[in-house]
Amino acid sequence: MLAHSAGEMAGVSKDQHPWWETGVVYQVYPRSFQDSDGDGVGDLAGLERRLDYIAELGVDAIWLSPVFPSPMVDFGYDIADYCGIDPLFGTMEDFDRLIAAAHARGLKLLLDFVPNHSSDQHPWFLESRSSRDNPKRDWYIWRDARIGPDGERLPPNNWVSDFGGSAWEWDEATGQYYLHAMLPQQPDLNWRNAELKAAMLDVLRFWFDRGVDGFRIDVLWHIVKAEGLPDNPPNPHWQPGVNERDRLLQLHSTDQPEAHAISAEIRALADSYGDRLLVGEIVLPNDRLARWHGTAEAPQVHLPFNFCLLENSWNAETVGRLIDEYETSLPAWGWPNWVLGSHDAPRIAARIGEAQARVAMMLLLTLRGTPTLYQGDELAIGTVPIPADKVRDPRELRQPGIGLGRDPSRTPMPWDNSLNAGFTTGEPWLPLNPNWKSRNVAAQNGDPGSMLELTRALLRLRRAEAALGRGEYRSLQCREALLAYERCTADSRLVVALNFGEEATEMPAQAAGGERLLSTLPGSSEQLRGNEGVIWQLRG
Ligand code: GLC
Ligand code: MG
C-alpha cells in the first residue's frame, strides 16, 4: 500500500503552514556522529542511540548525508545502489528502526538524493561502460575524443571537474570519454535519457514509500548540461592557487533550463506524497538562485540552499546587505533559508572565532526562514588540525595545499571525556577536535555559558515566539559593527542586535523599554558589549 492517500495528495491547505517553515534542520554527517560497532565510523545504530540528544536540542528535522552502498571515494556521495544501506552504516532494518524512532520523537528525517552522478561501481555504470551498444550506454554521458593538431587525443571539451583536472575520463575498453563533474569515480548521469530519469524518480518513490520526509538534493544545479556540450568560457578573475574549478565559468555545464524542468517534476512527485520537503544544493548568485523556487504554478524545490553567510566576509555591513538582498530576491511564494555550516564548508567557529560564532548562532536562529544547523556547531568546534598522513578528503588530495580540505569540518562528535570522546571504542576515522576533553556535549550540558546551552535557549525561544517563526523581517540600522533588525507579528515585536566587533556599542534605539530575553554573554550591561548579541521583546 502506498504511504499516502488521495485526501493527502493536495498537500497543505492554503491557511495551514507546512512544518518546515518554522522548523529547524539539523545536518548529521553519519560517519562522524556516533559509532556503535567499534569500527571508528559512525553508523545508523549509533545515530539512533543519540536521537534523544537531537530531539532535546529542539530541532525539527534531521538531514542525513548519504548512507547508501558506496565505495566511499567521496564518502558516500559516490553511490553504488540508490535503494540500499551500506553495511558500514548498518542494514535496511536499522534504517526502518531509525526512521520509526525519529518519528516517535517528533523528528522528521530527510535523506540525501545524489542525482547528478553515481559511483563508477554502480551496476548501471558497469553496464554502461561494458560496450557502446549496451542499453544503459546512454544513461551516462559518453563522447568521442577530439583530435589535437598533432593527432593527439583530447577530451571532448574544456570542462574542468569541481575537484580539479579535466571533467572527462578516457575509457580504453570502448574508446570514448565519460563526463564527471566531480571525481572520475563519480560519472555524471544523463538526465536527458528518459529511462534513466524514470529510474531515478523511482528511487525517490522507494524512500518516500518508506516514510522519509524529504530530501536534500546534491549539486542540483549540475544535473543537466547544455546540448552539444560547448566549451565553457574562461573566468577572467581566476588566479592560480585557488580551486581549478573556477578557471572556467560553468556557463554550459550548470544551471540549464532543463534542470529547472526536472526539479519541477521532482517537486510534483514529492507533493503527491503530501507534506514532504525538498532542499536543493545550488550554489549561485541570488537572482539565479531564486529561480529554483520555480513559479507559483510549477514550484521547484521548497528551499534552494542559501549559502550567502558562508561565502562572504563577516562584518555587520556585509551581512546586513546580504540579508536584504536575499530577502528582496525571493519570489512571493518563496520561503527563505539560511546555512552557517556543513560537511563541505569551514567550521564557523574556525572561521570567525568562538565569540563571534555565538553571535552567528543568534543570527542563524533569529533570521526569517528555515535554518540548517550543522552537527558540532552547537559546541562551537573550531579549528581541527589534520596531520598530513590523516588527510582523507579527495578534494584536498587532488589539489593539495590550497585550503580545499573538508576534513576539519567532518571530525567526530565529541560526546564526553571518556575514550575517544564517547564516539567510538575503536580508532576514529578522523582525529577529534584537539580540545575534546573539555569541548564536548557532556561538558557543555547544563553550563549556562556554553554554546550548547545558548543554542538550546535560542531554539526554545524560536519555538515560543511566533515572531521568530513566521514574523516579518525588518532591518533597523547598521552602524559600524552593529547589525540590528526586528521580527514582528501583529502582536509581538522582537528586536535583535548583534555586535560584530570587539568594542562595546550603543543599544539600538528601537530596543528602548524592551524586555531583554536573551544575550549571547552572561550578565548584562547598559551597552551592547563586544561580541554580544541580544534579543528584546517590546509590547504594545
Ligand atoms: C556536494 C556534497 C559534497 C560532495 C559533492 C559531490 O557538494 O555536499 O560533499 O563532494 O557534492 O557529490
Ligand atoms: Mg561503525
Side-chain angles (χ1 to χ4, degrees), residues 35-37 39 41-43 88:
D35 182 23
S36 73
D37 59 1
D39 66 356
V41 178
D43 43 50
L88 185 69

Side-chain angles (χ1 to χ4, degrees), residues 122-443:
H122 195 296
W124 297 344
F125 188 70
L126 297 179
E127 276 193 56
S128 185
R129 83 186 312 177
S130 67
S131 76
R132 288 202 189 195
D133 53 13
N134 183 278
K136 293 206 170 56
R137 183 67 169 182
D138 187 48
W139 285 32
Y140 293 84
I141 301 173
W142 292 95
R143 289 293 182 277
D144 290 334
R146 274 186 306 177
I147 303 301
D150 300 321
E152 74 277 28
R153 189 177 69 215
L154 295 174
N157 69 19
N158 71 348
W159 293 0
V160 176
S161 146
D162 277 19
F163 287 79
S166 170
W168 294 95
E169 186 76 4
W170 176 251
D171 191 54
E172 202 60 61
T174 54
Q176 281 191 315
Y177 282 92
Y178 66 85
L179 180 69
H180 58 89
M182 307 294 152
L183 296 169
Q185 296 91 339
Q186 294 170 300
D188 278 34
L189 290 160
N190 178 16
W191 277 77
R192 293 183 185 275
N193 179 294
E195 285 176 25
L196 174 275
K197 186 165 102 180
M200 290 301 277
L201 295 181
D202 278 345
V203 169
L204 295 173
R205 292 189 185 95
F206 175 86
W207 292 109
F208 279 142
D209 286 338
R210 276 204 122 75
V212 312
D213 301 288
F215 292 91
R216 174 267 192 184
I217 308 180
D218 188 70
V219 298
L220 178 58
W221 85 117
H222 273 269
I223 196 170
V224 191
K225 336 303 164 187
E227 276 305 1
L229 312 179
D231 276 353
N232 275 329
N235 173 2
H237 304 296
W238 185 76
Q239 307 238 313
V242 299
N243 195 346
E244 203 204 337
R245 172 198 67 192
D246 300 328
R247 191 156 60 70
L248 303 176
L249 301 171
Q250 297 188 330
L251 182 68
H252 303 300
S253 49
T254 64
D255 202 24
Q256 299 299 304
E258 295 91 335
H260 289 276
I262 289 168
S263 88
E265 265 185 81
I266 294 176
R267 171 63 179 272
L269 174 64
D271 284 351
S272 76
Y273 280 85
D275 203 7
R276 313 290 168 112
L277 171 64
L278 298 176
V279 183
E281 187 202 16
I282 297 149
V283 185
L284 289 173
N286 281 338
D287 52 333
R288 285 164 68 196
L289 186 66
R291 292 191 218 148
W292 290 85
H293 291 276
T295 61
E297 298 72 38
Q300 298 177 25
V301 291
H302 301 91
L303 304 175
F305 259 149
N306 166 15
F307 295 121
C308 73
L309 297 175
L310 292 177
E311 290 165 344
N312 292 281
S313 31
W314 190 258
N315 60 69
E317 196 271 318
T318 306
V319 172
R321 181 175 47 77
L322 292 169
I323 298 168
D324 291 339
E325 286 173 2
Y326 175 69
E327 280 276 354
T328 312
S329 74
L330 288 173
W333 57 91
W335 183 254
N337 80 90
W338 301 94
V339 181
L340 257 187
S342 79
H343 65 297
D344 294 329
R347 285 269 181 205
I348 184 74
R351 181 157 76 99
I352 62 177
E354 182 174 1
Q356 272 301 302
R358 296 170 68 87
V359 173
M361 187 64 84
M362 183 172 274
L363 175 76
L364 175 72
L365 298 179
T366 57
L367 283 172
R368 190 179 81 97
T370 308
T372 300
L373 178 59
Y374 180 52
Q375 74 177 43
D377 282 351
E378 75 274 29
L379 305 173
I381 295 176
T383 306
V384 186
I386 309 287
D389 63 333
K390 292 267 165 37
V391 170
R392 305 290 301 269
D393 178 13
R395 191 165 81 177
E396 167 79 10
L397 292 168
R398 259 173 96 89
Q399 297 183 75
I402 56 170
L404 294 177
R406 298 172 294 181
D407 293 329
S409 308
R410 298 177 173 183
T411 60
M413 271 293 278
W415 294 101
D416 53 40
N417 61 12
S418 70
L419 176 72
N420 297 322
F423 166 69
T424 182
T425 54
E427 175 68 21
W429 77 286
L430 277 177
L432 289 151
N433 50 304
N435 49 6
W436 63 268
K437 286 209 166 140
S438 53
R439 188 176 298 285
N440 62 56
V441 170

